[in-house]
């Protein structure tokens, strides 16, 4: 279930806002320049051509954002590299371009750090999120990751994490699988 918790950056235990309502999530994230939408899901199986199934949605996004490269990240809970993959983006970082993800299966926790607030956004299937270039954030797929996300890039070569060196991520909730 999609859920947003907003914290003061100094307190990762008591949320100032806690909502699972899509409209409220969209509004709160919109105020800090993060696009969030919930889109209808389509049936998928293990062999589905995900980019083909969602071709219309991808075309719409590409028209708006000028994305030149699109791929699919799909990870199962028994993936042998899951710990290394999880660790890669667990610390606060930024990118030189927007981070655009459309979750079509499973879930992942994006945490956004803007001014003195921390936004813990649990994305689930059907969620589209776009984290603006330069915004501090981190991402947790959890200890038993399970998600499929369509990733859209303007320039995949430029999509490199710049780590801020802050340890703030350790003070906020991680992804706990239901
Ligand atoms: Fe990132």
């Amino acid at each position: 279930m999609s859920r947003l918790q907003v914290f003061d950056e100094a307190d990762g235990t008591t949320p100032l806002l806690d909502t699972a309502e899509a409209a409220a999530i969209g509004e709160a994230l919109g105020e800090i320049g993060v696009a969030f939408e919930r889109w209808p899901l389509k049936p998928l199986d293990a062999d589905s051509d995900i980019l083909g199934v969602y071709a219309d949605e991808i075309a719409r996004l590409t028209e708006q954002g000028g994305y030149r490269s699109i791929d699919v990240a799909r990870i199962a809970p028994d993936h042998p590299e899951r710990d290394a993959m999880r660790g890669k983006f667990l610390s606060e970082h930024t990118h030189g371009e927007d981070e655009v993800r459309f979750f079509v299966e499973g879930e992942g926790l994006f945490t956004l750090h803007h001014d003195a607030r921390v936004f813990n956004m649990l994305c689930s299937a059907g969620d589209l999120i776009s984290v603006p270039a330069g915004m501090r954030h981190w991402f947790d797929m959890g200890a038993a990751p399970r998600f499929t996300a369509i990733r859209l890039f303007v320039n995949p070569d430029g999509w490199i994490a710049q780590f801020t060196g802050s340890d703030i991520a350790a003070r906020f909730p991680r992804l706990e699988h239901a």
Side-chain angles (χ1 to χ4, degrees):
M1 184 182 65
S2 311
R3 178 182 183 190
L4 173 66
Q5 290 184 306
V6 183
F7 297 91
D8 185 281
E9 66 179 359
D11 177 7
T13 56
T14 313
L16 307 168
L17 172 74
D18 188 347
T19 180
E21 204 189 309
I25 293 172
E27 194 177 322
L29 294 183
E31 283 173 8
I32 61 165
V34 173
F36 174 84
E37 294 173 23
R38 281 195 58 80
W39 285 10
L41 290 167
K42 298 178 173 177
L44 292 177
D45 59 39
D47 303 320
S48 291
D49 165 19
I50 290 163
L51 296 181
V53 170
Y54 284 100
D56 291 349
E57 289 80 358
I58 290 167
R60 226 161 42 228
L61 283 170
T62 302
E63 206 170 297
Q64 292 165 13
Y67 306 110
R68 290 198 299 265
S69 175
I70 296 153
D71 68 12
V72 174
R74 195 171 208 183
I75 178 163
D78 61 351
H79 195 292
E81 301 293 324
R82 62 187 179 278
D83 289 343
M85 292 168 80
R86 182 188 190 192
K88 217 170 162 191
F89 297 116
L90 270 182
S91 299
E92 188 182 75
H93 63 275
T94 63
H95 304 284
E97 72 164 84
D98 298 354
E99 183 163 350
V100 187
R101 300 287 181 269
F102 177 41
F103 287 82
V104 298
E105 291 179 315
E107 62 182 18
L109 180 65
F110 267 103
T111 305
L112 317 167
H113 185 193
H114 182 75
D115 291 338
R117 294 272 188 271
V118 169
F119 298 73
N120 247 26
M121 180 62 222
L122 178 62
C123 290
S124 62
D127 291 351
L128 170 73
I129 188 167
S130 176
V131 180
M135 180 175 279
R136 293 167 292 170
H137 67 279
W138 55 94
F139 178 73
D140 190 9
M141 58 179 72
R146 187 184 69 83
F147 73 85
T148 304
I150 298 172
R151 312 191 298 175
L152 301 100
F153 306 93
V154 174
N155 176 10
D157 297 336
W159 198 75
I160 293 165
Q162 314 280 337
F163 288 92
T164 65
S166 167
D167 64 354
I168 186 171
R171 298 195 295 274
F172 286 85
R174 296 299 194 184
L175 175 55
E176 304 290 344
H177 299 288

